[in-house]
Amino acid sequence: MSLRIVIVGGVAGGASAAARARRLSEAASITIFEKGPHVSFANCGIPYVLGGVIADKSKLLLQTPESMKARYNLDVRTNTEVTRIDRQHKRVHYHSAPASPASLVGVDADRSLPYDKLILALGAEAVRPPMEGADAPHVYTLQTIPDLQRVNAAMDTGEVHHAVIVGGGFIGLEAAENIRLRGVHTTIVEMTPQVFAPVDEDIAAEVHAELRKQGVELRLSTRVQRIIPPKGDDGGGVELAGGERLPADIVLMAVGVRPRTGLAHDAGLRIGSSGGVVVNGFMQTNDPDIYAVGDMIESKHTVSHSPVNIALAGPANRQGRLAADHIFGKGAAYRGTIGTSVCQVFDLTVGNTGMTTRELSRLKRSFRWVTVHPPHHAGYYPGGKSMTLKLIFDPDDGRILGAQAVGRAGIDKRIDVLSTAIQARMTVDDLETLELAYAPPYGAAKDPINMAGFVAGDLMRGEVDIVHSTELKGALETQPELQLVDVRNPGEFTAGHLQGATNIPLNGLRERMEELPKDRPLVVYCQVGFRGYLAARILQQNGYTVQNLDGGIYPRRQRLLLS
């Protein structure tokens, strides 16, 4: 008798598991149940259809039931919901959705199907906060193709002039860009002080600036109190905590997602502290014949070793493949997740991998970080775009713990390399010696990753000491004796400098260093940190106690420091 595999849920994890299982066995019986109308679609591309960047929404349909039957001989049942798992008798109970919302004609009675191995890939569901008006007709989510169709239908009426997006994560940012591209006044309301939680506040500041530049209004550290539905000639609105009302013809709920674990919970499968289903390295739940993959599971963070629930397509695909491998006797185990991601925000790209300083602080783990602002390719080649690259590492052994980058070009390349470095347990010393592809249109002989390694390596070896902008602000308040030295050129100094700083350009520092007191600590700075580093090396070797301002006073960093 052939092995009977039942998969609940399609998209990334479920579809990958099914395709891999078929490649491993032509004899197995493989059935996929999908509650929605589409078994395999690119939900990450949905916001770009909304803005017309992807003109044909059918491009999002990666596979159909017919194509999966033809290529993989899979029994795909869409619009069919699994309602119960009978672990004792190894059966799933299911029923089909109505043929149309207005009719129950064609609804199957409760039916069941036996399984030998069951793979759960139910994903995550959009969160709707419990607030007044959250179920109003002009409130939408943007997670599935039917969601997209509903939002598009509203936008196509020509009556949407104001949109409010509640939440500044991936979906919120991508939706904001694409709704704004349609000429709609767009506001993001975010409860925390920043958008895009996978990065620290200093990196997010660049994203805030880009959003505002493109006409998106930001309301940070702000909570939505209630949603006001449209009534007659009175358009809808959003009332903020404090009573202010924003006009809103549509409201997009993008506050996040949570794992769909109801079916698993009812079946007695273990749910972890992160809210996801607990699995072992082979994606097995506490029932060895039931696997779970994708956004619904709890996995181990590779750096912190703590349980996390991370909703990303790449890990879901790999987990689906590994579950199928294990069913057929393959030995590979899942190595964990580091949350590598990248997001486009108009002309800007922001990316991250590993841990943030905020997360490491919460875990009470020691760390250090450095910031560099190199061009994305050789400076002498036309079109170079400056980036900000933040590297976080262990102060004891230099192991890389995380990285973040933001800029207009070359961000994904650097984040991918640093993601690989984290998974390989590399150190900042390793980054100094990495041999990366170089030609003037693509990079530099000293790549930004090498540069970050050099700066971190100097810090590890004690060749320089640094201070961060957030630390300096407090130090200036508690240490009045602290002497600031601006080593930029006089024109740069005149255009804007830190209050109380003395201007001694780097090229004249050796001749003028006697003007600086040796009995007071010094902090040197420049625009992006390199000239400050050179000045610090000169002064340190001449008996001064000196720190370099990490990353310099790159424009938005300066505002952070002085705010």
Side-chain angles (χ1 to χ4, degrees):
M1 184 176 180
S2 63
L3 187 69
R4 297 169 299 190
I5 301 173
V6 171
I7 302 171
V8 185
V11 195
S16 295
R20 178 62 173 169
R22 177 57 74 217
R23 289 195 295 272
L24 294 175
S25 172
E26 273 293 303
S29 166
I30 305 173
T31 302
I32 303 178
F33 290 105
E34 170 56 49
K35 181 179 178 181
H38 306 290
V39 66
S40 180
F41 65 95
N43 50 359
C44 296
I46 285 174
Y48 300 101
V49 175
L50 184 63
V53 177
I54 299 174
D56 182 1
K57 68 175 181 292
S58 68
K59 298 289 186 183
L60 300 182
L61 300 178
L62 306 179
Q63 293 282 354
T64 65
E66 295 75 20
S67 67
M68 296 185 85
K69 176 66 175 177
R71 177 162 294 184
Y72 299 108
N73 191 25
L74 303 175
D75 179 7
V76 179
R77 307 186 190 187
T78 56
N79 296 309
T80 303
E81 181 180 10
V82 172
T83 57
R84 184 166 64 91
I85 301 169
D86 181 349
R87 290 171 55 191
Q88 182 179 356
H89 300 98
K90 300 185 72 171
R91 302 184 75 89
V92 294
H93 291 256
Y94 65 93
H95 66 75
S96 296
S100 69
S103 171
L104 295 179
V105 176
V107 180
D108 286 340
D110 184 73
R111 302 173 65 185
S112 67
L113 188 73
Y115 67 84
D116 297 309
K117 301 293 182 181
L118 175 63
I119 302 175
L120 302 180
L122 285 87
E125 60 187 347
V127 174
R128 281 185 180 255
M131 68 176 67
E132 183 182 342
D135 295 324
H138 70 314
V139 178
Y140 303 90
T141 58
L142 193 61
Q143 191 182 24
T144 66
I145 290 179
D147 289 342
L148 169 66
Q149 292 168 333
R150 286 188 286 269
V151 177
N152 252 337
M155 299 285 290
D156 288 344
T157 63
E159 297 177 359
V160 175
H161 307 290
H162 293 86
V164 172
I165 298 171
V166 186
F170 284 98
I171 294 175
L173 291 175
E174 292 166 352
E177 174 180 349
N178 285 278
I179 291 174
R180 186 75 187 111
L181 288 175
R182 295 180 70 156
V184 174
H185 184 278
T186 305
T187 303
I188 295 176
V189 181
E190 169 58 50
M191 283 186 62
T192 70
Q194 67 171 78
V195 300
F196 201 67
V199 300
D200 290 313
E201 190 174 357
D202 51 348
I203 300 297
E206 300 292 322
V207 181
H208 297 164
E210 178 68 12
L211 288 165
R212 291 177 173 126
K213 174 185 171 184
Q214 299 290 347
V216 175
E217 186 178 352
L218 283 182
R219 298 299 184 94
L220 303 175
S221 301
T222 303
R223 183 175 59 84
V224 173
Q225 186 162 285
R226 69 184 180 111
I227 297 170
I228 306 164
K231 187 176 181 180
D233 294 333
D234 186 17
V238 167
E239 185 178 306
L240 306 179
E244 182 185 1
R245 175 173 167 171
L246 303 177
D249 301 305
I250 65 168
V251 177
L252 187 66
M253 284 292 183
V255 297
V257 296
R258 60 185 166 215
R260 285 195 180 96
T261 58
L263 187 66
H265 176 271
D266 292 346
L269 302 182
R270 185 181 165 204
I271 309 299
S273 59
S274 73
V277 176
V278 175
V279 295
N280 63 16
F282 303 110
M283 316 316 297
Q284 289 172 297
T285 67
N286 51 293
D287 183 326
D289 290 325
I290 302 179
Y291 297 72
V293 302
D295 299 353
M296 69 178 293
I297 72 163
E298 175 176 282
S299 57
K300 181 184 72 174
H301 197 289
T302 305
V303 177
S304 69
H305 306 296
S306 57
V308 291
N309 170 245
I310 294 179
L312 291 171
N317 274 284
R318 290 191 292 278
Q319 292 158 6
R321 178 185 176 94
L322 289 175
D325 279 351
H326 190 258
I327 286 172
F328 289 100
K330 306 291 183 181
Y334 189 58
R335 297 183 180 182
T337 299
I338 58 175
T340 304
S341 66
V342 67
C343 183
Q344 176 180 298
V345 184
F346 292 97
D347 296 330
L348 206 64
T349 301
V350 57
N352 72 286
T353 185
M355 305 290 288
T356 64
T357 63
R358 182 179 62 254
E359 292 166 332
L360 290 164
S361 295
R362 187 170 62 246
L363 294 172
K364 294 181 170 50
R365 179 163 179 175
S366 60
F367 62 90
R368 299 204 74 173
W369 83 90
V370 297
T371 312
V372 295
H373 305 285
H376 84 283
H377 63 46
Y380 59 82
Y381 188 85
K385 306 293 184 183
S386 178
M387 71 171 64
T388 297
L389 177 58
K390 180 175 183 176
L391 180 69
I392 307 165
F393 55 94
D394 189 299
D396 297 322
D397 58 14
R399 181 185 166 197
I400 304 159
L401 303 177
Q404 302 161 35
V406 62
R408 302 189 185 278
I411 299 302
D412 54 337
K413 169 182 176 180
R414 274 73 192 196
I415 289 297
D416 283 345
V417 171
L418 289 166
S419 171
T420 303
I422 290 173
Q423 294 182 74
R425 301 181 64 85
M426 294 172 70
T427 68
V428 297
D429 292 338
D430 295 317
L431 298 188
E432 293 185 74
T433 61
L434 276 184
E435 183 176 337
L436 302 172
Y438 161 58
Y442 302 105
K446 296 176 182 177
D447 190 85
I449 289 175
N450 298 132
M451 295 300 297
F454 294 149
V455 176
D458 287 343
L459 190 61
M460 288 286 295
R461 292 185 290 268
E463 295 175 11
V464 69
D465 192 14
I466 64 172
V467 62
H468 300 292
S469 58
T470 49
E471 299 167 333
L472 180 56
K473 184 178 180 181
L476 289 170
E477 294 172 352
T478 59
Q479 302 177 54
E481 74 278 9
L482 201 63
Q483 175 69 55
L484 297 175
V485 184
D486 188 320
V487 298
R488 299 175 300 160
N489 296 328
E492 295 173 282
F493 181 81
T494 301
H497 58 271
L498 301 185
Q499 186 176 359
T502 297
N503 182 215
I504 303 180
L506 174 64
N507 290 351
L509 180 61
R510 290 181 179 86
E511 291 73 29
R512 295 181 55 189
M513 73 173 68
E514 292 183 358
E515 298 175 23
L516 299 173
K518 282 193 174 182
D519 59 347
R520 295 171 60 186
L522 307 178
V523 172
V524 295
Y525 71 85
C526 62
Q527 191 69 16
V528 299
F530 181 61
R531 284 175 289 175
Y533 160 71
L534 296 177
R537 291 296 299 148
I538 293 170
L539 292 168
Q540 184 178 336
Q541 293 178 76
N542 280 276
Y544 290 85
T545 301
V546 58
Q547 291 179 303
N548 182 31
L549 178 59
D550 177 53
I553 56 167
Y554 199 65
R556 273 169 283 283
R557 292 176 59 82
Q558 183 175 0
R559 286 200 288 274
L560 257 179
L561 176 62
L562 298 177
S563 61

